[in-house]
């Protein structure tokens, strides 16, 4: 894939650039977490317990990939690399990949070439894009207090009218409302039919996620010297409040043609990213499911401004969590610092034979 095909693609990481663009490569998101890694399968699932993900090679050097942390949902190492620095991507699928890169390459190789300076006048480029993240489909609507009461009232009426031996039948739904308001089925249902609370749990836990990417680069060179420098800022918010990913990255590449046969190059990249996600995201603390599981008759906060829950178990009336409180107080955050530096020396031995030596130092914190 040339840079024209992946230019201005609004993704957080290089691995997500492959989605829908390379024949025979299956790519999907491992999670909805901003900055999360993509699930890439180049040659299918070739092993049950062996290597199933491809390796990544950047400018001739293999780099770390995959999930960086176990404390957050998919802390993607590749998300620390600026996608706007990519010149082209090559996918190796056949036996050549194994022959060149060893047994680890059995699941394929993603070869990434980054941009370098070219001979000519200095060129400056500034690109910016912004957008919003939202669900692709609206999905099911959640209960309001009125619809929740109506649902419960009909359930009670149908149950009693189907079993006259219980000693109570109802002629219309209004009788059921009066019966439940009077506490005929206990204090729990009485509270539902008498409260003036109408909580929109979707609005309380979700939002339109804002996304922004700003990239600046400069490049140029002459017969002996070439340079490329870039700076990038990327910010991506989830539709779930409290979940986001942002990155600040810098790149500097210098090439020097010492002689007709000898070329020396350096590549220095430094980046810092911050990831915020929610603990227990897949359990009943899931903010997406809160709009369906939490009762609209439960308030988020009490009249005095304190968080609403039962003092005995710190849960709501149906035993579930007050999700906005968890989003505000029980988050999980991680920061990643990545420094990547290499020194490359190329020497042309013969016309069709070139020796290349690369010394690399990479730091992940």
């Amino acid at each position: 894939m040339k840079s024209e095909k992946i230019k201005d693609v609004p993704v957080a990481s290089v691995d997500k650039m492959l989605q829908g663009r390379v024949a025979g490569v299956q790519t999907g998101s491992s999670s909805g977490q901003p900055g999360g890694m993509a699930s890439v399968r180049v040659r299918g699932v070739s092993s049950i317990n062996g290597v199933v993900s491809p390796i990544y090679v950047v400018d001739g050097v293999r780099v770390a990939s995959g999930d960086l942390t176990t404390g957050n949902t998919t802390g993607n190492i590749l998300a620390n690399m600026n996608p706007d620095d990519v010149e082209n991507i090559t996918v190796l699928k056949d036996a050549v990949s194994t022959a060149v890169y060893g047994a680890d390459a059995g699941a394929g190789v993603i070869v990434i070439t980054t941009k370098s300076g070219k001979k000519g006048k200095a060129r400056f480029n500034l690109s910016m894009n912004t957008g919003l993240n939202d669900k692709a489909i609206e999905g099911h609507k959640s209960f309001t207090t009125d619809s929740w009461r109506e649902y419960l009232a009909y359930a009670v009426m149908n149950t009693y009218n189907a079993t006259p031996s219980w000693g109570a039948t109802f002629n219309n739904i209004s009788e059921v409302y009066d019966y439940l308001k009077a506490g005929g089925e206990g204090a729990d249902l009485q509270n539902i039919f008498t409260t003036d609370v109408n909580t929109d749990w979707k609005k309380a836990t979700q939002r339109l996620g804002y996304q922004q990417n700003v990239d600046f680069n400069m490049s140029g060179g002459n017969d002996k010297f070439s340079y490329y420098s870039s700076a990038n800022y990327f910010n991506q918010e989830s539709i779930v409040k409290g979940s986001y990913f942002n990155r600040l990255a810098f790149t500097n590449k210098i090439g020097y043609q010492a002689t007709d046969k000898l070329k020396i190059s350096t590549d220095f990249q430094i980046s810092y990213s911050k990831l915020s996600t929610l603990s227990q995201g897949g359990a009943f603390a899931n903010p997406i499911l809160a709009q369906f599981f939490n009762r609209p008759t439960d308030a988020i906060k009490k009249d005095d401004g304190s968080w609403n829950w039962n003092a005995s178990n710190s849960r709501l009336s149906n035993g579930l969590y007050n999700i906005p409180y968890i989003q505000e107080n029980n988050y999980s955050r991680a920061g990643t610092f990545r420094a990547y530096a290499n020194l490359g020396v190329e020497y042309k031995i013969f016309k069709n034979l070139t020796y290349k030596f690369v010394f690399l130092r990479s730091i992940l914190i």
Side-chain angles (χ1 to χ4, degrees), residues 117-137:
K118 295 179 175 61
K119 181 180 178 180
K121 294 182 179 180
R123 289 178 288 272
F124 301 88
N125 179 65
L126 175 64
S127 62
M128 296 179 287
N129 60 70
T130 60
L132 297 173
N133 297 316
D134 199 3
K135 289 183 178 179
I137 57 175

Side-chain angles (χ1 to χ4, degrees), residues 93 232 344:
K93 308 176 186 178
N232 172 263

Side-chain angles (χ1 to χ4, degrees), residues 25-71:
V25 176
Q26 300 172 335
T27 308
S29 297
S30 298
S31 75
Q33 170 65 39
M37 67 181 186
S39 173
V40 180
R41 298 291 181 267
V42 173
R43 305 177 69 179
V45 182
S46 57
S47 174
I48 296 176
N49 57 2
V51 178
V52 296
S53 297
I55 64 174
Y56 291 81
V57 177
V58 178
D59 294 332
V61 179
R62 181 178 177 180
V63 297
S65 60
D67 194 352
L68 177 64
T69 173
T70 58

Side-chain angles (χ1 to χ4, degrees), residues 91-102:
V91 180
L92 304 180
K93 308 176 186 178
D94 51 28
V96 174
S97 60
T98 305
V100 176
Y101 295 100

